[in-house]
Amino acid sequence: MSRSTRRDLYAVGAAVLLVTAAALAGHHIQRTSRTLFVHWPPLLASWHPHLGPGTPAAVLVALATVAYGPALAARLPWRALLPVTWGAALAWTFSLALIDGWHRGIAGRLTTRHEYLRAVDRFHDIPAALRGFTQHILLDAPDNWPAHVAGHPPGATLTFVLLDRIGLGGGAWAGLWCITVGATAGAAVLVTVRALTDEDLARRAAPFLALAPAAVWMGTSADAYFAAVAAWAVALLALAVTRRSPWWAGASGLLFGLTCFLSYGLTLVALIAVAVLLLGRHGIRGRPALLLPLLAGLAVVPAAFTLAGFNWWEACQLLVTRYHQGAGGIRPYGYWVWANLACTALVTGPATVAGLRRTGSLLVRGSDRAHSGMDRRPAAASSGARPRRAAASADVRLAVLVAGALLALLIADLSGMSKAETERIWLPFALWLLPACAFLTPPEPPGPASCRARAIPTRVWLGAQALLALLINHLLFTGW
């Protein structure tokens, strides 16, 4: 076993210890003081071993992806790989959700007392609802909004209102919307990785994005929909700077604006956008005018909501007050500031932990290569073995992109506004950690047999990811 592989296993072992410590400490705190407000810390879940109609499908999807995913990702035409990745992620998410049954896993998830659909009937007059939105955020306000409605800008609830208006009302359609749109996030991440690094790395990351443990919480959660919108905003920005396209820039700005009106915390996606601009700064320098359609698109959604009478800043400040009026003001920061990271380890899986270990190593050792390769536009495609220098540069660029997402996640953690439920809330950031798994997969064609013998096969890492998701979904009920 190589030194690098041993270090990967040490990192995974450390993550296991972190999760174990969070579980033991969390159960002790909850048993003695009951201040965590979760039944199975660090996850918002209940112990509920069960099988369901989705069990056979989930096992089959996992086995098929583990067996054939890496080979298909390496050989499919790029235009086919994106829909195949989306389809695999969709099948994986649906099958995991159906382990809890159709109603409990999909149709009923967004109809509980805390969810968005409880407020749809209060948006008969949309302009009036937007003008008065901030008046119902605080717990002591008359007719205060349900927790998730109050905790997000009205763009989130308005999505389900508009679905209702076009005849797709109710929990089933809302669940189908979130899962179907949310599953596209993996394809958006692949588009970004290919544009900013190279195609080889994107292909190596594809099976891990399709079979992510995060799918447990993406089905069914509105945060999956938020994650997809944010991911496509980043992807279009990557295309804009690498192709120097004002159209992609304008579309990216439009989605970034929408992202900020789906969740206040997703303003931190700006850090991932900064990483994209840094990696694609050659395109910005070559065509500075790209910033104009980007900013113009960014202004559209905020301007529309502001003209309709919704004050984003006032609502955000009221949300902070509402957060501390409820469980957020009681949950101990000293526990969640590190237990949240244990949640992230469960959401992203052991392969991502090992990949992040390699990401850190690349950033430490490859700063000089990153500097020298930063101003070169990445190749749009690659086939066969990559030149060593180009491969090193692409690896460092991917490490920078992943580091941007990790930084956003850590800031969200330190803010104290994400105490518990981060397995769901941080999906838009966690998905960007998954491409680090590409560092665990040998490039095509593979290297010497002696090196391959010392490495953990890709299928083993994929199998570990799938097994973790299956265990969580079969042993726990992850309702919220």
Side-chain angles (χ1 to χ4, degrees), residues 41-70:
L43 299 175
L44 183 66
S46 301
W47 180 253
H48 182 62
H50 63 289
L51 300 175
T55 296
V59 172
L60 286 175
V61 170
L63 290 175
T65 306
V66 170
Y68 303 108

Side-chain angles (χ1 to χ4, degrees), residues 183-257:
T184 69
V189 174
L190 292 184
V191 168
T192 308
V193 172
R194 180 178 186 255
L196 296 174
T197 64
D198 66 14
E199 186 172 311
D200 182 70
L201 282 171
R203 289 178 177 276
R204 288 154 59 185
F208 292 96
L209 285 159
L211 204 62
V216 172
W217 295 275
M218 295 188 76
T220 305
S221 166
D223 294 86
Y225 158 54
F226 305 160
V229 174
W232 282 110
V234 174
L236 295 182
L237 180 61
L239 292 176
V241 298
T242 54
R243 299 184 181 183
R244 303 183 186 182
S245 168
W247 297 105
W248 289 130
S252 173
L254 189 66
L255 288 183
F256 272 121

Side-chain angles (χ1 to χ4, degrees), residues 16 30 38-39 54 133 159 165 172 176 189 194 215 217 222 254 268 275 314 335-336 369 373 391 417 444 450 453 476:
V16 170
Q30 182 64 12
V38 295
H39 297 299
F133 191 87
T159 298
R165 293 286 176 89
L176 292 173
V189 174
R194 180 178 186 255
W217 295 275
L254 189 66
L268 288 172
E314 178 188 2
Y335 170 78
W336 287 110
R369 290 196 298 270
M417 289 295 291
E444 291 288 339
S450 60
L476 302 174

Side-chain angles (χ1 to χ4, degrees), residues 19 25-26 33 40 43 49 106 122-123 127 141 156 162 243 277 280 282 306 318 335 345 353-354 371 383 404 434:
V19 172
S33 63
W40 196 258
L43 299 175
I106 296 177
R122 295 172 62 178
F123 277 74
L162 295 177
R243 299 184 181 183
L277 293 175
H282 180 70
T306 301
L318 289 171
Y335 170 78
V353 172
H371 179 74
S383 60
L434 292 168

Side-chain angles (χ1 to χ4, degrees), residues 8-25 41-42 338-339 341-346 348-351 353-354 461 464-465 468:
D8 292 340
L9 295 178
Y10 294 155
V12 173
V16 170
L17 290 176
L18 177 65
V19 172
T20 302
L24 294 176
W338 60 273
L341 302 180
C343 291
T344 303
L346 292 171
T348 57
V353 172
W461 286 117
Q465 298 283 92
L468 174 63

Side-chain angles (χ1 to χ4, degrees), residues 8-371:
D8 292 340
L9 295 178
Y10 294 155
V12 173
V16 170
L17 290 176
L18 177 65
V19 172
T20 302
L24 294 176
H27 277 86
H28 174 73
I29 295 171
Q30 182 64 12
R31 186 172 60 253
T32 57
S33 63
R34 299 191 179 278
T35 57
L36 297 188
F37 295 94
V38 295
H39 297 299
W40 196 258
L43 299 175
L44 183 66
S46 301
W47 180 253
H48 182 62
H50 63 289
L51 300 175
T55 296
V59 172
L60 286 175
V61 170
L63 290 175
T65 306
V66 170
Y68 303 108
L72 285 175
R75 296 168 188 168
L76 281 176
W78 177 255
R79 290 187 177 181
L81 179 60
L82 293 178
V84 167
T85 301
W86 170 59
L90 190 62
W92 180 232
T93 307
F94 263 120
S95 60
L96 287 174
L98 287 172
I99 291 171
D100 296 330
W102 168 254
H103 179 78
R104 195 173 190 181
I106 296 177
R109 280 290 180 99
L110 298 175
T111 63
T112 62
R113 63 189 182 94
H114 296 302
E115 285 287 359
Y116 306 93
L117 295 189
R118 287 299 182 97
V120 166
D121 291 341
R122 295 172 62 178
F123 277 74
H124 289 300
D125 186 341
I126 291 177
L130 292 178
R131 286 193 300 271
F133 191 87
T134 57
Q135 300 171 16
H136 306 288
I137 292 178
L138 298 180
L139 270 179
D140 53 5
D143 296 323
N144 62 77
W145 297 117
H148 288 184
V149 177
H152 295 80
T157 307
L158 197 56
T159 298
F160 301 105
V161 171
L162 295 177
L163 284 175
D164 183 75
R165 293 286 176 89
I166 64 173
L168 302 180
W173 285 114
L176 292 173
W177 167 266
C178 291
I179 292 177
T180 304
V181 176
T184 69
V189 174
L190 292 184
V191 168
T192 308
V193 172
R194 180 178 186 255
L196 296 174
T197 64
D198 66 14
E199 186 172 311
D200 182 70
L201 282 171
R203 289 178 177 276
R204 288 154 59 185
F208 292 96
L209 285 159
L211 204 62
V216 172
W217 295 275
M218 295 188 76
T220 305
S221 166
D223 294 86
Y225 158 54
F226 305 160
V229 174
W232 282 110
V234 174
L236 295 182
L237 180 61
L239 292 176
V241 298
T242 54
R243 299 184 181 183
R244 303 183 186 182
S245 168
W247 297 105
W248 289 130
S252 173
L254 189 66
L255 288 183
F256 272 121
L258 175 59
T259 298
C260 294
F261 279 77
L262 294 175
S263 174
Y264 300 103
L266 289 189
T267 51
L268 288 172
V269 173
L271 292 172
I272 306 176
V274 168
V276 171
L277 293 175
L278 176 66
L279 295 171
R281 65 188 186 188
H282 180 70
I284 297 293
R285 286 176 178 174
R287 195 170 185 181
L290 287 174
L291 295 176
L292 294 178
L294 176 66
L295 294 175
L298 183 62
V300 171
V301 174
F305 275 95
T306 301
L307 290 174
F310 172 71
N311 189 322
W312 190 96
W313 293 103
E314 178 188 2
C316 187
Q317 292 169 353
L318 289 171
L319 167 64
V320 174
T321 302
R322 165 76 181 253
Y323 184 76
H324 289 98
Q325 285 178 328
I330 301 173
R331 285 171 169 157
Y333 179 85
Y335 170 78
W336 287 110
V337 74
W338 60 273
N340 284 337
L341 302 180
C343 291
T344 303
L346 292 171
V347 170
T348 57
T352 306
V353 172
L356 289 176
R357 200 281 305 170
R358 296 198 179 199
T359 298
S361 178
L362 276 168
L363 292 175
V364 170
R365 294 186 291 104
S367 58
D368 291 340
R369 290 196 298 270
H371 179 74

